[in-house]
Amino acid sequence: LTAELTDRGHVALGIDLVHESVHQTIRRGGAALRRDVFGPVPGEGRWRTALLADGNIGIGGDPGALLLRIRRLLARGGRVVVEVAPPGIATQRVTARLACACSVSAPFPWAVVGVDDVPRLAAGAGLVEADRVRAAGRWAVVLRSPR
């Protein structure tokens, strides 16, 4: 997604803990850093948009804490686009692992967030729902920071 946004003329930066994800983004022409989103990242407080695609609101297993962190990255009036699970799916914390043919990661905390729970989680982080979209069977919510 970072490379595609860059190709479309947007300034975009991917952040991931997984070396291979960062490598693939760079190989495709995007900018990416191997970092923890909860640690220092470039441009804190100046981001116009943050994108949490593919359920990445689950990073760290505490979606409320992640949204609060993302809010601190955003500029005044900035937005976060969050892809979530469909209606009827309750938020749940799980332990996950990444696996491929050659390796399996250590377990790590993750969360699954349904669209119905987003307003409550957003409010706890000082964000408000600005839009809700369903496209191609996927759900996304646009949250805004206060102006």
Side-chain angles (χ1 to χ4, degrees):
L1 292 173
T2 301
E4 180 65 26
L5 288 166
T6 300
D7 287 347
R8 292 177 182 222
H10 298 279
V11 175
L13 175 65
I15 297 173
D16 206 303
L17 285 173
V18 178
H19 172 77
E20 184 62 23
S21 295
V22 171
H23 175 73
Q24 286 185 27
T25 298
I26 293 169
R27 193 179 78 235
R28 292 177 177 141
L33 297 173
R34 187 167 182 248
R35 299 268 175 97
D36 182 342
V37 71
F38 290 100
V41 297
E44 292 193 33
R46 298 189 315 263
W47 293 20
R48 291 187 358 221
T49 304
L51 173 62
L52 295 172
D54 296 328
N56 279 333
I57 190 171
I59 291 170
D62 185 345
L66 180 60
L67 288 176
L68 189 58
R69 170 62 176 141
I70 296 296
R71 180 169 177 245
R72 291 182 183 129
L73 295 175
L74 295 175
R76 184 177 286 273
R79 65 184 177 170
V80 56
V81 180
V82 183
E83 186 179 349
V84 292
I89 303 294
T91 295
Q92 53 186 313
R93 291 189 170 106
V94 298
T95 299
R97 293 177 187 257
L98 295 176
C100 64
C102 63
S103 182
V104 177
S105 75
F108 56 90
W110 194 261
V112 175
V113 176
V115 70
D116 300 328
D117 289 336
V118 173
R120 175 185 56 80
L121 292 167
L127 298 165
V128 295
E129 185 175 329
D131 198 9
R132 188 178 289 206
V133 180
R134 180 178 180 213
R138 297 171 87 163
W139 287 84
V141 178
V142 178
L143 305 173
R144 288 226 178 254
S145 69
R147 297 200 180 270

